[in-house]
């Protein structure tokens, strides 16, 4: 089993390298005129690095998370990490980034939104005083996302179920957790209501037809992750075993996919798929096991325990790719690797 301590330093080096690297950068803004065709840093002074905006945001999140670890104390990179975070996450930069989101309300929705909230949440919850100070400056970014999501969801007819950035459930779960942490009840209510409207009637998700060629998320497991946050204990006990009934420890959905061309940015998403699936399984299997124990379903308990045995194999390719020289992988995968590692050792 991989150990979190073994990845703190290499992941910190990856994160620092990424958030101080301006190019290559994929800018996905809609240009309204020639005036919008300016260097990315003029529009996004904090997050015009690490290949694209959302990857930059979650690499900042990763670096802040790593600074919490015992291995970061006295590390050679610690002062540099704090210096860069303070520079990028300044009050001026956060006001500019929040303003850009308000002016472009569908941009980076919901994936980038989710990581902006996660960044703020980990800073606010930090035991490191310097990081808590940055929680105050990034609050405007999170509050902007909460405003946007509360305005957006009532107008959404159906969720996006693809296994990529636009996936509705993946983003909403993270925003929900952050909204609860800051008592944004309007956003919590909007997300919980939308989740019930979108997903409460789903059953027997077809995991056999998941994993298209550039997925980095399991649509089914993202949905289950979200509903585990939304449902009451009794509701989840009824819904979750039914929804996951087509998933077994032997399912192809719980085996890693071989990446044949790591230089292909879309195909390299599959490294992240193994990591995100491992994280979801690690969250969901204990809930499934508890349901089985409470209801006397020994088969369900064994099923849940078997799912957990797949985590290491799912994680291995992505953990290797996260610190590789191939930038299509290394500009983003370490964040997913860190989440999976932390969950497996919590």
């Amino acid at each position: 089993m991989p150990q979190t301590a073994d990845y703190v330093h290499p992941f910190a080096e990856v994160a620092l390298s990424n958030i101080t690297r301006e190019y290559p950068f994929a800018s996905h803004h809609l240009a309204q005129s020639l005036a919008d065709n300016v260097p990315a840093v003029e529009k996004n002074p904090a997050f015009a690095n690490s290949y694209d905006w959302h990857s930059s945001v979650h690499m900042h999140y990763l670096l802040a998370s790593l600074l919490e670890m015992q291995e970061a104390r006295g590390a050679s990179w610690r002062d540099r990490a704090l210096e860069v975070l303070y520079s990028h996450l300044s009050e001026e930069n956060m006001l500019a980034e929040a303003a850009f989101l308000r002016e472009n309300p569908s941009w980076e929705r919901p994936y980038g939104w989710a990581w902006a909230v996660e960044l703020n949440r980990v800073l606010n919850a930090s035991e490191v005083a310097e990081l808590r100070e940055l929680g105050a400056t990034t609050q405007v970014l999170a509050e902007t996302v909460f405003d946007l999501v509360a305005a957006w969801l009532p107008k959404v007819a159906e969720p996006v179920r693809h296994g990529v950035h636009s996936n509705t459930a993946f983003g909403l779960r993270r925003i929900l957790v952050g909204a609860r942490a800051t008592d944004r009840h309007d956003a919590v209510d909007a997300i919980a209501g939308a989740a019930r409207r979108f997903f409460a009637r789903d059953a027997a998700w077809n995991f056999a037809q998941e994993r298209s060629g550039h997925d980095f998320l399991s649509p089914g497991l993202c949905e289950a992750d979200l509903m585990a946050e939304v449902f009451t204990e009794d509701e989840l006990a009824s819904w979750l075993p039914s929804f996951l009934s087509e998933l077994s420890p032997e399912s192809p959905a719980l085996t890693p996919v071989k990446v044949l061309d790591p230089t292909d940015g879309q195909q390299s998403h599959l490294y992240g798929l193994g990591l995100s699936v491992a994280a979801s399984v690690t969250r969901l299997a204990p809930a499934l096991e508890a349901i089985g124990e409470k209801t006397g379903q020994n088969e369900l308990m064994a099923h849940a325990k078997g799912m957990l045995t797949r985590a290491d194999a799912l994680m291995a390719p992505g953990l290797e790719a996260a610190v590789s020289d191939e930038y299509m992988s290394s500009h983003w995968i370490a964040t997913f690797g860190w989440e999976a590692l932390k969950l497996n050792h919590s």
Side-chain angles (χ1 to χ4, degrees):
M1 177 180 289
Q3 301 298 309
T4 54
D6 296 335
Y7 287 88
V8 173
H9 298 315
F11 279 6
E13 291 175 359
V14 166
L16 264 174
S17 174
N18 282 330
I19 66 174
T20 55
R21 179 171 177 169
E22 294 184 19
Y23 294 101
F25 188 79
S27 183
H28 306 296
H29 306 313
L30 173 66
Q32 301 286 357
S33 70
L34 279 175
D36 289 333
N37 293 323
V38 298
V41 72
E42 293 188 21
K43 293 182 283 189
N44 302 111
F47 304 125
N49 47 67
S50 198
Y51 190 75
D52 50 26
W53 194 90
H54 51 257
S55 299
S56 174
V57 174
H58 71 64
M59 276 288 160
H60 283 78
Y61 157 87
L62 172 62
L63 191 58
S65 301
L66 294 169
L67 284 164
E68 295 286 338
M69 301 299 292
Q70 178 70 34
E71 292 79 10
R73 299 179 185 178
S76 60
W77 48 268
R78 185 180 187 277
D79 289 346
R80 174 63 174 153
L82 288 171
E83 177 188 350
V84 172
L85 288 175
Y86 263 81
S87 173
H88 289 191
L89 306 181
S90 67
E91 182 178 7
E92 180 182 7
N93 285 355
M94 291 301 95
L95 288 170
E97 293 284 3
F100 190 86
L101 288 182
R102 288 194 300 272
E103 292 161 7
N104 299 272
S106 65
W107 183 70
E108 289 286 356
R109 182 185 73 192
Y111 183 79
W113 290 3
W115 285 114
V117 169
E118 281 278 71
L119 172 61
N120 175 250
R121 184 186 62 79
V122 77
L123 291 169
N124 282 334
S126 178
E127 295 182 0
V128 178
E130 296 96 327
L131 296 182
R132 288 197 304 275
E133 290 180 18
L134 293 176
T137 65
T138 58
Q139 193 65 42
V140 65
L141 193 61
E143 296 294 345
T144 298
V145 171
F146 298 143
D147 291 344
L148 289 170
V149 80
W152 167 58
L153 284 175
K155 298 179 284 188
V156 179
E158 294 289 344
V160 175
R161 299 176 184 267
H162 302 160
V164 291
H165 309 82
S166 54
N167 182 280
T168 302
F170 179 86
L172 290 189
R173 176 185 169 273
R174 290 167 188 272
I175 298 169
L176 175 63
V177 172
R180 283 176 175 159
T182 53
D183 294 325
R184 277 297 301 259
H185 302 295
D186 58 334
V188 170
D189 292 345
I191 293 169
R196 288 177 177 276
R197 176 162 54 91
F198 294 153
F199 304 124
R201 292 182 298 277
D202 287 357
W205 182 265
N206 185 359
F207 286 93
Q209 292 184 14
E210 278 202 4
R211 307 201 313 178
S212 60
H214 62 182
D215 284 352
F216 65 92
L217 303 170
S218 159
L221 291 176
C222 285
E223 178 177 334
D225 261 338
L226 172 62
M227 299 316 287
E229 292 286 344
V230 169
F231 278 145
T232 66
E233 183 177 340
D234 288 344
E235 288 174 326
L236 190 66
S238 173
W239 185 89
L240 189 62
S242 170
F243 184 77
L244 297 182
S245 60
E246 299 299 314
L247 183 67
S248 74
E250 295 76 31
S251 294
L254 297 186
T255 59
V257 185
K258 185 174 179 59
V259 175
L260 302 179
D261 183 5
T263 68
D264 183 329
Q266 296 296 323
Q267 190 178 152
S268 68
H269 279 176
L270 295 169
Y271 288 128
L273 177 62
L275 294 166
S276 67
V277 167
S280 289
V281 165
T282 305
R283 281 188 292 263
L284 293 167
L288 201 62
E289 184 178 357
I291 293 167
E293 183 175 10
K294 185 175 182 179
T295 57
Q297 299 180 66
N298 292 335
E299 185 176 347
L300 186 60
M301 293 171 62
H303 185 81
K305 290 177 180 177
M307 288 166 57
L308 282 173
T309 66
R310 305 303 303 147
D312 285 356
L314 284 163
M315 290 164 60
L319 290 175
E320 182 178 353
V323 292
S324 72
D325 293 332
E326 179 46 62
Y327 192 54
M328 286 295 96
S329 302
S330 63
H331 80 268
W332 69 280
I333 290 176
T335 308
F336 284 78
W338 185 246
E339 180 175 60
L341 283 166
K342 289 282 287 179
L343 284 166
N344 273 271
H345 292 86
S346 60

